[in-house]
Short mmCIF file of all heavy atoms in Angstrom, two decimals:
data_model
loop_
_atom_site.label_atom_id
_atom_site.label_comp_id
_atom_site.label_asym_id
_atom_site.label_seq_id
_atom_site.Cartn_x
_atom_site.Cartn_y
_atom_site.Cartn_z
N SER A 1 5.11 77.17 39.51
CA SER A 1 5.77 78.48 39.67
C SER A 1 5.06 79.35 40.69
O SER A 1 5.68 80.21 41.32
CB SER A 1 5.83 79.20 38.32
OG SER A 1 4.52 79.43 37.81
N ALA A 2 3.77 79.14 40.87
CA ALA A 2 2.99 79.95 41.82
C ALA A 2 2.91 79.30 43.20
O ALA A 2 2.40 79.92 44.13
CB ALA A 2 1.58 80.19 41.29
N MET A 3 3.42 78.09 43.33
CA MET A 3 3.37 77.39 44.62
C MET A 3 4.51 77.89 45.49
O MET A 3 5.56 77.28 45.59
CB MET A 3 3.46 75.87 44.41
CG MET A 3 3.26 75.07 45.69
SD MET A 3 3.51 73.28 45.46
CE MET A 3 1.92 72.80 44.81
N LYS A 4 4.28 79.02 46.15
CA LYS A 4 5.32 79.67 46.95
C LYS A 4 5.21 79.25 48.41
O LYS A 4 4.12 79.05 48.95
CB LYS A 4 5.22 81.18 46.83
CG LYS A 4 5.42 81.71 45.42
CD LYS A 4 6.84 81.43 44.91
CE LYS A 4 7.08 82.08 43.56
NZ LYS A 4 8.45 81.79 43.06
N GLY A 5 6.37 79.14 49.05
CA GLY A 5 6.39 78.76 50.45
C GLY A 5 7.54 79.39 51.19
O GLY A 5 8.33 80.17 50.61
N SER A 6 7.66 79.05 52.45
CA SER A 6 8.75 79.55 53.29
C SER A 6 9.97 78.66 53.11
O SER A 6 9.92 77.63 52.43
CB SER A 6 8.31 79.54 54.75
OG SER A 6 8.21 78.20 55.22
N TRP A 7 11.06 79.02 53.78
CA TRP A 7 12.27 78.20 53.73
C TRP A 7 12.04 76.82 54.35
O TRP A 7 12.79 75.88 54.11
CB TRP A 7 13.43 78.90 54.42
CG TRP A 7 13.20 79.17 55.88
CD1 TRP A 7 12.72 80.31 56.45
CD2 TRP A 7 13.43 78.26 56.96
NE1 TRP A 7 12.63 80.17 57.82
CE2 TRP A 7 13.06 78.92 58.16
CE3 TRP A 7 13.90 76.95 57.05
CZ2 TRP A 7 13.15 78.31 59.41
CZ3 TRP A 7 14.00 76.34 58.31
CH2 TRP A 7 13.62 77.03 59.46
N ALA A 8 10.96 76.68 55.15
CA ALA A 8 10.64 75.40 55.77
C ALA A 8 9.63 74.60 54.96
O ALA A 8 9.27 73.49 55.35
CB ALA A 8 10.10 75.62 57.18
N GLY A 9 9.15 75.16 53.84
CA GLY A 9 8.22 74.45 52.98
C GLY A 9 6.76 74.73 53.23
O GLY A 9 5.90 74.19 52.54
N ALA A 10 6.42 75.57 54.24
CA ALA A 10 5.03 75.90 54.52
C ALA A 10 4.53 76.92 53.50
O ALA A 10 5.23 77.88 53.17
CB ALA A 10 4.88 76.46 55.93
N MET A 11 3.31 76.72 53.00
CA MET A 11 2.85 77.44 51.82
C MET A 11 1.74 78.45 52.13
O MET A 11 0.88 78.24 52.97
CB MET A 11 2.32 76.44 50.79
CG MET A 11 3.28 75.33 50.43
SD MET A 11 2.64 74.25 49.11
CE MET A 11 1.05 73.76 49.79
N GLY A 12 1.79 79.55 51.37
CA GLY A 12 0.69 80.48 51.32
C GLY A 12 0.42 81.23 52.60
O GLY A 12 1.21 81.24 53.54
N GLN A 13 -0.74 81.89 52.62
CA GLN A 13 -1.10 82.74 53.75
C GLN A 13 -1.32 81.98 55.06
O GLN A 13 -0.95 82.46 56.12
CB GLN A 13 -2.33 83.56 53.39
CG GLN A 13 -2.10 84.51 52.22
CD GLN A 13 -3.31 85.38 51.91
OE1 GLN A 13 -4.02 85.82 52.82
NE2 GLN A 13 -3.56 85.62 50.63
N PRO A 14 -1.89 80.76 55.03
CA PRO A 14 -2.02 80.01 56.29
C PRO A 14 -0.76 79.25 56.67
O PRO A 14 -0.71 78.68 57.75
CB PRO A 14 -3.16 79.01 55.99
CG PRO A 14 -3.75 79.42 54.69
CD PRO A 14 -2.66 80.14 53.95
N GLN A 15 0.23 79.21 55.78
CA GLN A 15 1.47 78.47 56.00
C GLN A 15 1.20 76.98 56.25
O GLN A 15 1.58 76.41 57.27
CB GLN A 15 2.28 79.08 57.14
CG GLN A 15 2.97 80.39 56.76
CD GLN A 15 4.10 80.17 55.77
OE1 GLN A 15 5.22 79.86 56.14
NE2 GLN A 15 3.82 80.34 54.48
N PHE A 16 0.55 76.37 55.26
CA PHE A 16 0.27 74.93 55.28
C PHE A 16 1.40 74.17 54.60
O PHE A 16 1.86 74.56 53.51
CB PHE A 16 -1.01 74.62 54.50
CG PHE A 16 -2.29 74.88 55.22
CD1 PHE A 16 -3.50 74.69 54.57
CD2 PHE A 16 -2.32 75.32 56.53
CE1 PHE A 16 -4.71 74.92 55.20
CE2 PHE A 16 -3.53 75.57 57.18
CZ PHE A 16 -4.73 75.36 56.50
N LEU A 17 1.84 73.08 55.19
CA LEU A 17 2.61 72.11 54.44
C LEU A 17 1.69 71.46 53.41
O LEU A 17 0.46 71.46 53.58
CB LEU A 17 3.21 71.06 55.37
CG LEU A 17 4.39 71.52 56.23
CD1 LEU A 17 4.73 70.46 57.27
CD2 LEU A 17 5.62 71.84 55.38
N PRO A 18 2.24 70.90 52.33
CA PRO A 18 1.36 70.32 51.30
C PRO A 18 0.38 69.28 51.83
O PRO A 18 -0.78 69.24 51.39
CB PRO A 18 2.36 69.71 50.32
CG PRO A 18 3.57 70.58 50.44
CD PRO A 18 3.65 70.94 51.89
N SER A 19 0.79 68.43 52.77
CA SER A 19 -0.14 67.44 53.30
C SER A 19 -1.30 68.10 54.04
O SER A 19 -2.44 67.64 53.97
CB SER A 19 0.58 66.46 54.23
OG SER A 19 1.18 67.14 55.32
N SER A 20 -1.03 69.21 54.74
CA SER A 20 -2.10 69.95 55.41
C SER A 20 -3.02 70.60 54.39
O SER A 20 -4.24 70.68 54.60
CB SER A 20 -1.51 71.00 56.35
OG SER A 20 -0.83 70.40 57.43
N TYR A 21 -2.44 71.08 53.31
CA TYR A 21 -3.27 71.64 52.23
C TYR A 21 -4.24 70.59 51.72
O TYR A 21 -5.45 70.86 51.57
CB TYR A 21 -2.36 72.13 51.10
CG TYR A 21 -3.12 72.66 49.90
CD1 TYR A 21 -3.31 74.03 49.72
CD2 TYR A 21 -3.63 71.78 48.93
CE1 TYR A 21 -4.01 74.50 48.61
CE2 TYR A 21 -4.32 72.25 47.83
CZ TYR A 21 -4.51 73.61 47.68
OH TYR A 21 -5.21 74.09 46.60
N LEU A 22 -3.76 69.39 51.43
CA LEU A 22 -4.63 68.34 50.91
C LEU A 22 -5.74 68.01 51.89
O LEU A 22 -6.88 67.74 51.49
CB LEU A 22 -3.82 67.08 50.60
CG LEU A 22 -2.86 67.17 49.41
CD1 LEU A 22 -2.06 65.88 49.29
CD2 LEU A 22 -3.61 67.45 48.11
N ASP A 23 -5.44 68.06 53.18
CA ASP A 23 -6.42 67.68 54.21
C ASP A 23 -7.38 68.80 54.57
O ASP A 23 -8.54 68.52 54.93
CB ASP A 23 -5.70 67.22 55.48
CG ASP A 23 -4.98 65.90 55.31
OD1 ASP A 23 -5.32 65.14 54.38
OD2 ASP A 23 -4.06 65.62 56.11
N HIS A 24 -6.94 70.06 54.49
CA HIS A 24 -7.71 71.13 55.12
C HIS A 24 -8.05 72.32 54.23
O HIS A 24 -8.96 73.09 54.58
CB HIS A 24 -6.96 71.65 56.35
CG HIS A 24 -6.60 70.60 57.33
ND1 HIS A 24 -7.53 69.83 58.00
CD2 HIS A 24 -5.39 70.15 57.78
CE1 HIS A 24 -6.93 68.97 58.80
NE2 HIS A 24 -5.63 69.14 58.68
N ALA A 25 -7.36 72.53 53.13
CA ALA A 25 -7.64 73.70 52.30
C ALA A 25 -9.01 73.59 51.66
O ALA A 25 -9.44 72.50 51.26
CB ALA A 25 -6.57 73.85 51.22
N VAL A 26 -9.72 74.72 51.58
CA VAL A 26 -11.07 74.73 51.02
C VAL A 26 -11.21 75.87 50.01
O VAL A 26 -10.51 76.88 50.08
CB VAL A 26 -12.15 74.89 52.12
CG1 VAL A 26 -12.16 73.69 53.05
CG2 VAL A 26 -11.94 76.17 52.91
N ASP A 27 -12.13 75.67 49.09
CA ASP A 27 -12.50 76.72 48.13
C ASP A 27 -13.72 77.43 48.67
O ASP A 27 -14.85 76.97 48.49
CB ASP A 27 -12.77 76.07 46.76
CG ASP A 27 -13.39 77.07 45.77
OD1 ASP A 27 -13.18 78.28 45.95
OD2 ASP A 27 -14.08 76.61 44.84
N PHE A 28 -13.51 78.54 49.35
CA PHE A 28 -14.64 79.24 49.98
C PHE A 28 -15.21 80.34 49.10
O PHE A 28 -16.35 80.75 49.28
CB PHE A 28 -14.21 79.84 51.33
CG PHE A 28 -15.35 80.10 52.27
CD1 PHE A 28 -15.96 79.05 52.96
CD2 PHE A 28 -15.84 81.38 52.46
CE1 PHE A 28 -17.03 79.28 53.82
CE2 PHE A 28 -16.90 81.62 53.32
CZ PHE A 28 -17.50 80.57 54.01
N ASP A 29 -14.40 80.84 48.16
CA ASP A 29 -14.92 81.90 47.29
C ASP A 29 -15.62 81.35 46.05
O ASP A 29 -16.14 82.11 45.23
CB ASP A 29 -13.81 82.89 46.90
CG ASP A 29 -12.68 82.22 46.13
OD1 ASP A 29 -12.85 81.09 45.64
OD2 ASP A 29 -11.61 82.86 46.02
N GLY A 30 -15.62 80.02 45.89
CA GLY A 30 -16.41 79.38 44.84
C GLY A 30 -15.85 79.50 43.44
O GLY A 30 -16.60 79.29 42.48
N ASP A 31 -14.54 79.74 43.30
CA ASP A 31 -13.98 79.85 41.95
C ASP A 31 -13.44 78.53 41.42
O ASP A 31 -12.84 78.48 40.34
CB ASP A 31 -12.88 80.92 41.90
CG ASP A 31 -11.63 80.52 42.68
OD1 ASP A 31 -11.65 79.50 43.39
OD2 ASP A 31 -10.62 81.26 42.59
#
């Protein structure tokens, strides 16, 4: 329910497609 994206499927503030999220998203705030 929180996995929000654009009409093209790009997600979140960086507008990553899910495959890009798996490859590049990081936990920088340590939570």
Side-chain angles (χ1 to χ4, degrees):
S1 61
M3 186 184 278
K4 297 296 185 181
S6 70
W7 62 265
M11 306 184 306
Q13 297 183 37
Q15 286 291 275
F16 281 177
L17 286 171
S19 60
S20 293
Y21 176 99
L22 290 176
D23 291 340
H24 305 298
V26 295
D27 170 25
F28 202 76
D29 61 15
D31 69 352

